[in-house]
Structures are given as C-alpha cells and as structure tokens.
Amino acid sequence: EVRIAILPLLTGDIRPTSVRIEQPEITVRLSPEKTTYQDTAYRTLVAPIVEVLLHGVPGVSFEIIGGKLEFTRGGKRLILLSELTGNATVSDDVIKATISSASDRWQLLKARLSVVPGSLAATAGLQVSALDATSVLDQLLGDSSLRIRPGALDAKLDVVMDDHGSLSGKVLAS
C-alpha cells in the first residue's frame, strides 16, 4: 500500500507519503568471505541507502508487517527472522527505524537505529529476550574447537558511531 500526497498531484508530481508492506519474504545473501567491522564497509553499505531515502523519498514513512527476513552465507542459512514488523521515517535531519521479530534463536528482538544524513553518525540499540546464546556463539565461532554453552539469556546492546567512524558500545546480559 502506497499513499501519496494529494496537493502535488495537481501539478503532475507524484509524491509518496507512506509505504506499507505486508508479509514480505526477503533473503539477504552475504558474501562467502567473513569480514570484520570497518568504517569504510559501513559507509559503503549505508551511504547509498541514505542517499536514496533522502533524495528519492524525503519525508516518507515506511512500515513492514508480518514479514520474514533470511540471512544466508554460501548457501547456508545464518538466521531467519519471522513475525518481522518495523517502521522507518525519513527527514533531512535523521533517518529513524525500529524493528521487532521472533526467530529460531530468540523469543523476541527489538532494535532501533538512527542515522544522521551527511555524516552517517549513528546510534543503535538491540534488545533480545530468551536468546539461544549457544547457537549464536556456535555460529560466530564456526569451526573453532572452542565451545561455550551458556543457555538462554536476555541481552541489551547499545552502540554509538560518531561522524569520524569511532565506535563505542555497551552490552548488558542476564
């Protein structure tokens, strides 16, 4: 469902004001090579998305209801997010997004993200309930002989990246 502004139609300009997508099924195929965080990788990924949102659909709000989002690497499923809901708003000052989902690895995940256009400074938060930490650690450790078996936990992660690419954050787990 796409809603458009009525007044610009009088001049022949079609301007969306909101986009609502119900039950999308999206697959993200990641490169087979595992990478580590780098400021350039973040900017390479985020900059074009911010550019499209700011200049292609300024002032538009987005909503996703009841979707699925799957991440794969080398043909293997890393994680499947189900019951995905989210919304985002775009303005000249900030792009804000929130999502929530279930998964086979947790009961409930809530995430928020704010990105400042231009500098790409960002803040993000992630809160997860009943995380199956064992399977997540196994996925992260891969073929390592090290095994950690912590069981289910609740966790909260807050991250801030300034406009110079410096990253800081804190994790709380129980």
Side-chain angles (χ1 to χ4, degrees), residues 144-155:
S144 171
S145 60
L146 176 65
R147 293 290 176 237
I148 303 171
R149 305 278 181 224
L153 58 86
D154 295 338

Side-chain angles (χ1 to χ4, degrees), residues 132-151:
D132 178 2
T134 299
S135 70
V136 171
L137 288 170
D138 284 349
Q139 186 73 44
L140 291 173
L141 295 172
D143 295 332
S144 171
S145 60
L146 176 65
R147 293 290 176 237
I148 303 171
R149 305 278 181 224

Side-chain angles (χ1 to χ4, degrees), residues 113-167:
L113 173 68
S114 295
V115 178
V116 177
S119 71
L120 299 182
T123 60
L126 182 72
Q127 191 168 345
V128 63
S129 300
L131 173 68
D132 178 2
T134 299
S135 70
V136 171
L137 288 170
D138 284 349
Q139 186 73 44
L140 291 173
L141 295 172
D143 295 332
S144 171
S145 60
L146 176 65
R147 293 290 176 237
I148 303 171
R149 305 278 181 224
L153 58 86
D154 295 338
K156 182 177 180 182
L157 168 69
D158 287 303
V159 178
V160 175
M161 183 169 63
D162 67 19
D163 54 354
H164 301 293
S166 297
L167 191 65

Side-chain angles (χ1 to χ4, degrees), residues 10-11 14 19 23 28 33 42 50 52 54 56 61 65 84 93-94 96 125 140 142 150 153 166 168 170-171 173:
L10 298 174
T11 62
I14 298 173
V19 176
Q23 300 179 332
V28 177
E33 299 86 34
Y42 165 78
V50 168
V52 166
L54 274 181
S61 64
I65 298 173
L84 181 68
D93 300 331
V94 67
K96 292 185 176 186
L140 291 173
L153 58 86
S166 297
S168 63
K170 64 181 178 179
V171 177

Side-chain angles (χ1 to χ4, degrees), residues 1 16 23 34 63 73 77-78 80 94 97 139 151 156:
E1 173 182 316
Q23 300 179 332
K34 292 186 179 181
E63 182 179 22
R73 175 176 281 133
R77 177 189 287 171
L78 298 175
L80 173 65
V94 67
Q139 186 73 44
K156 182 177 180 182

